[in-house]
Each structure stands twice: as C-alpha cells, then as structure tokens.
C-alpha cells in the first residue's frame, strides 16, 4: 500500500486544470453519495486514494477521489462542506487504471483509457488538487495502489492510452509527480533505454503486476477474521493482550490483528513495531491522534476478514475467544455478538498513579497465585514507571484467572436479568461495546462505519450500535467470550468528555430511546427501572395516542432538560423550572399524571413524574 508520501493539504501551485491517474485495486466498498453541487455529501464511508483537502477560502475548493469495489467518486471540499461532483457506480474488483482529468474546473473520468463520465463544473474560482496521496491518516485507501501520477495539464484520451502501460522515468513533460518515485537505478536505466523500450516489455510489466496482485488476493482470501485493536499509551498492557491472542484455538493463518497505535508517547512503538506473532499482524502508527471513531474506521478499512472483532488494547482473551466469535457468525448476517458485559478485571501491572487502596487490593488478589504474589512482593512503592506483574508464560497457563475479579455491576444488572438475546431489554444496542464485540464487515459498512464527529471519549460505539439496531441487528450477549480487563489509571476528564458526546448522540438521534438514558445517568432511575419506564411510556402512547399528545411533548421536554442539566449539575434540582414550565404547564402535567395513574398500568412512569414534581426530593423540581 502506498503511504501518505506528500502530505500536503492542497497544491495551490496547480489550479483548475490537472490530471490524476493511478493503477488501483480496491478491497472494500465505499458509501455512494448522490452527485450534487447543491447538497453536501456525508463525511463518512469514504475510501480515499486522494485524501480530502479543504479549500482555504470561500473562492476555492480542494479535490479528493474515493475508489471502492462499487465505483469511483470525485469530491470537492470547500471551506465548510464536501460535494460529490462526479459519481460513477461500477464493479471494480481487478487491477484498474483510473484517470481523473480536470479541465477548467470540470472533472472527467477515464477507466483503462476509456472516457466514461463528465462531472459538474465547479462554481469556485479555483480548484486545487489535494497533495494527500494515498489518503491521510485515518482516511486512507483500503486496497492496493500500484502507482499514482499527477500532471499539470488535462490529459487527453490519446495521452492516457499511450502512457497506460509505460513506466515513467520521472522527467516527462508536464509531470508534477509520481508516487512512489522511481529509484536512481530505474532512472538511469530509463534514460538509457527510453527510446528502445518495447511494447513487449510493457506487457511483461503489467503481467507481473497482475500476478503479484493475484498472489496477494489469494493470501487475503485466507483471512477470515480481522481483530481491530486501537491503542493509546497502553504499554505494557497492549503487549499482554497481543500475547493472549497467540494462544487461540482458531487457525492463526486465518486471522489477522490490526493494531493501530494512535500516536502513543510511551514504549508502544519501540516494543511492538518488530512484533512477530504466529497470526498475521499489521502495525499502523498514526503521527497524530485521530480519536476513537476515526481510528476504528481506519482498522475497518484495513481489514481483510469478513468477520470483524473489536477488542480493547488492555483485554486479555481466553483461548476459545476468536473461535467462539467466528462460529456464531456463520449462520447469521446481521448478528452482533458481545462479550464485554461479561468481562472481568485483573491487575496485570502496577501504575505510579495507583492509590494505596488499589495497591492493597492487588496484594490481596495476588495471593491467589504464588508466582504472581512473589513478583508483587518485589515491588517498591511508590514507583516511577509501570511495574509488570503478569508475564506471557502466565497467560499460556491461564494464571490470569487466579487474580481476576468481578467488575461492572452495571453490566451485571443486564446479564443477570435478561437472557443472552436480551429479550425484554429495550436497549440491546448498549451491547455494542468495542472492548469486545464482533460483526460482519459488510454489515458495518452498510451502516456507514463509526461517526467521526465523535472525537473524545464515549458513546461513539453506542451511536453506531443504535444505527445497526434500527437496521435490524440481532444482539447476543454471551458468557463464553469472557475477556479480562487490565485495570489502569483513568483520566479525570472522561466524565465531561462522555457527557459532551452523549449530547452529540441525542442531537443525531433525537429519539425517546436515546433521550431516556438521562434518567439513569442523573440518578432519577436505575437501569432496570428506566427500562420499565420506557416500556410503559411506549405502551401508553400506543394504547392512548390522542389523549396524551400534549403529555408526549412535556415528557420529551423534561428529558431534553435533564441532558442539559447533566452538563451543569448532576443533582438535577428544579427540572421543571429549567424546562420553562409555568404554573399552567405544571397543572396540566399533574392532571396527566392523575389520569395515567387511573389506568393502573403505568406505575413506574407515574412514580418518576411524581418524583420530578415533588418539592421535597433533592433530585426533583422545587
């Protein structure tokens, strides 16, 4: 794969008239946007071979190109929006030559030297090519790239065909750049033989290229499972996670681990770059931190397997982990299999930030394994760097089980009260937890991947899970997929980040299903009671739609206000006042409560409303 060799947002020394051409073989589909100069395209689902470079003013735009198994799209990026200016749907599953020719701000598309479509001329004064060759970190092309050429003029059909199978020497008239650049030896050879190079040699070159691609394609087809692990400053925990995947019962030749180092500043790069496990291993390092959504999309686009497993970098897996995930997907296409709710905790390392209370807990747990306890006794408190308690040999012997402990009571309230298929639980999409969850690649691509507007911590997984749920996903929570979460320090800013992302979640999905989550977060109801309230509300509206129309509006307003208050004061004092309810509104709400109570079916819903109405409850209205 060609890397981000140039890495310039836009090339302002080329404008309006230029040509991109490249040999390419995509490995995934991309989102097909509607061709339009008026309506902006979605930012997700791209497979950029030429990365997005925004214009620098209101008068210009940058060009990008996305190529998927299902076609080619040329985009223009203004200062504020992205527009699909040429959309061509076609099946591209072999090595293909593509040329995007801009002639006075108008794009044209050629495939294997043949003109196929003209796009719409840009209304901007200047259109610049993007210098993000091969995409950019987090948005790069998923597939094989043989060569990319950029010319400072619009190539004609004749130009393209004449040079279609020729290897460039790098000094052709009008050639702005070629990536990868020819080596010194190649340049000298071409300078000597430029006038004598035969058509037969060109055919051999293309034949060799296709043979290499066929060999790679055969290897790619052997991969059935792709495990995507993003990591930010998680060493040595991430190495232990990778070690645990070495002992899987699943055939290692059929699984790959895509490890994405999201600009870590610890020892991750030093320790893992040369890591060679028995399974296929791809190490990707981002120069800049991309965040949780983008980095996982990067993993999806890199994945070769039809089954994707998302795994946190600090999760130790049991030997049957991959096999159990894989087998379950063989009979169902829209299955989402989650093991995160059954995770246990372990202390595999002692961090300098750990408190005395945590150290004492580790001391107690370590006594369950003599070797680990001996190692603990050698620890000197306080320490300046992480002290590793668990070794690879103990993973092979499953010694981590000896020091495991129950965590996540919130998840246990779900698994203890509902069956694995979550029948009766109204929020099954909560099981889409990227610490340990699997899904078919084609299904997640259909959903549009993770929403990259979620930058900081939290809710990017639930938001995608909710979209998948609305697309008919079937969620299963299984206890034979247990992982062991290696405990580590958690930043103090996580709560604020999560609440901000939750607000973004509610903006994108302004549904009662999402808004009602504020009841549990604010402490107004526990998870199980919230589930009952939601079910009662749905039954009320379905059974009595007309009498309670105004009540629906008031209830939604209350839920919206709870979210706003979560960002200010978790105590939730004076909800009705914050919602702007005057005396008439309060009286109407009280009448509705009395009426609903008379139906004798909605006790959890009315109890919540009375709590909010009561002046004596600290979590209610004054």
């Amino acid at each position: 794969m060609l890397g981000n060799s140039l890495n310039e947002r836009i090339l302002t020394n080329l404008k309006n008239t230029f040509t991109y051409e490249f040999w390419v073989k995509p490995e995934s589909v991309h989102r097909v946007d509607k061709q339009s100069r008026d309506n902006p395209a979605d930012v997700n689902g791209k497979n950029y071979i030429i990365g997005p470079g925004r214009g620098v003013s209101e008068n210009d735009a940058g060009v990008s190109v996305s190529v998927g198994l299902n076609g080619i799209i040329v985009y223009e990026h203004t200062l504020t929006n992205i527009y699909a200016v040429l959309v061509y749907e076609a099946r591209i599953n072999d090595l293909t030559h593509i040329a995007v020719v801009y002639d006075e701000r108008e794009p044209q598309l050629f495939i294997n030297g043949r003109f196929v479509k003209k796009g719409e001329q840009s209304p901007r004064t200047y259109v610049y090519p993007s210098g993000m060759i091969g995409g950019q970190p987090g948005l790069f092309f998923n597939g094989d790239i043989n060569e990319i050429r950029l010319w400072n003029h619009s190539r004609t059909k004749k130009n393209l065909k004449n040079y279609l199978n020729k290897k460039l020497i790098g000094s052709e008239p009008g050639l702005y750049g070629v990536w990868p650049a020819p080596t010194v030896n190649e340049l000298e050879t071409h300078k000597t033989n430029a006038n004598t190079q035969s058509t037969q040699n060109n055919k051999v070159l293309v034949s060799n290229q296709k043979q290499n691609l066929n060999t790679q394609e055969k290897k790619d087809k052997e991969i059935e499972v792709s495990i995507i692990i993003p990591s930010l400053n998680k060493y040595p925990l991430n190495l232990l996670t990778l070690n645990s995947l070495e002992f899987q019962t699943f055939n290692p030749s059929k699984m790959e681990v895509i490890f994405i180092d999201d600009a870590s500043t610890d020892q991750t790069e030093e320790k893992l770059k040369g890591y060679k496990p028995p399974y296929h291993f791809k190490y990707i390092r981002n120069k800049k931190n991309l965040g949780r959504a983008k980095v996982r999309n990067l993993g999806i686009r890199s994945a070769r397997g039809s089954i994707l497993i998302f795994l946190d970098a600090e999760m130790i897996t049991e030997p049957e982990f991959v096999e159990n995930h894989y087998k379950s997907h063989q009979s169902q296409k829209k299955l989402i299999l989650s093991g995160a709710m059954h995770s246990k905790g372990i202390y595999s390392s002692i961090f300098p930030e750990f408190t005395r209370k945590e150290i004492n807990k580790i001391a107690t747990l370590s006594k369950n394994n003599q070797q680990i306890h001996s190692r603990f006794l050698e620890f000197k408190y306080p320490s300046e760097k992480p002290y590793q308690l668990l070794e690879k040999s103990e993973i092979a012997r499953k010694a981590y089980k000896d020091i495991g402990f129950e965590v996540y009571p919130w998840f246990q309230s779900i698994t203890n009260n509902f069956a694995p298929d979550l029948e009766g639980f109204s929020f099954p999409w909560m099981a889409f937890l990227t610490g340990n969850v699997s899904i078919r690649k084609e299904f997640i691509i259909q959903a549009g991947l993770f929403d990259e507007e979620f930058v900081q911590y939290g809710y990017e997984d639930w938001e995608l899970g909710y979209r998948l749920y609305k697309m008919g996903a079937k969620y299963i929570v299984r206890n034979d997929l247990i992982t062991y979460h290696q405990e580590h320090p958690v930043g103090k800013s996580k709560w604020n980040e999560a609440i901000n992302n939750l607000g973004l979640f509610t903006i994108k999905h302004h549904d009662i299903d999402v808004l009602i989550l504020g009841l549990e977060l604010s402490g107004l109801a526990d998870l199980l009671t919230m589930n009952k309230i939601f079910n009662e509300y749905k039954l009320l509206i379905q059974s009595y739609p007309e009498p309670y129309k105004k009540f629906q509006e008031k209830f939604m307003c209350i839920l919206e206000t709870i979210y706003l208050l979560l960002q200010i004061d978790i105590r939730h004092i004076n909800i009705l006042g914050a919602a702007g309810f005057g005396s008439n509104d309060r009286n109407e709400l009280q009448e509705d409560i009395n009426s609903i109570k008379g139906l004798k079916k909605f006790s959890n819903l009315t109890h919540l409303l009375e709590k909010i109405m009561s002046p004596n409850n600290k979590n209610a209205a004054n």
Side-chain angles (χ1 to χ4, degrees), residues 24-25 79 93 114 119 127 169 192 269 292 317 325 334 362 374 379 512 557:
V24 66
K25 182 177 181 293
L79 202 56
N93 53 8
R114 180 176 63 88
V127 178
I169 63 174
T192 305
E269 182 178 19
R292 296 158 64 90
T317 62
H325 268 291
K334 289 191 174 184
I362 296 169
S374 297
F379 170 70
I512 181 70
C557 183

Side-chain angles (χ1 to χ4, degrees), residues 125-145:
T125 304
Y126 301 113
V127 178
Y128 302 117
S130 167
M132 295 178 183
I133 303 301
Q136 69 177 20
L139 296 167
F140 77 110
F141 178 73
N142 184 23
D144 289 303
I145 305 170

Side-chain angles (χ1 to χ4, degrees), residues 592-611:
D592 285 331
I593 294 172
N594 294 337
S595 173
I596 295 169
K597 286 179 73 174
L599 300 172
K600 302 185 183 304
K601 295 180 182 179
F602 310 99
S603 58
N604 291 283
L605 176 61
T606 55
H607 179 71
L608 167 73
L609 294 168
E610 287 177 332
K611 182 188 291 188

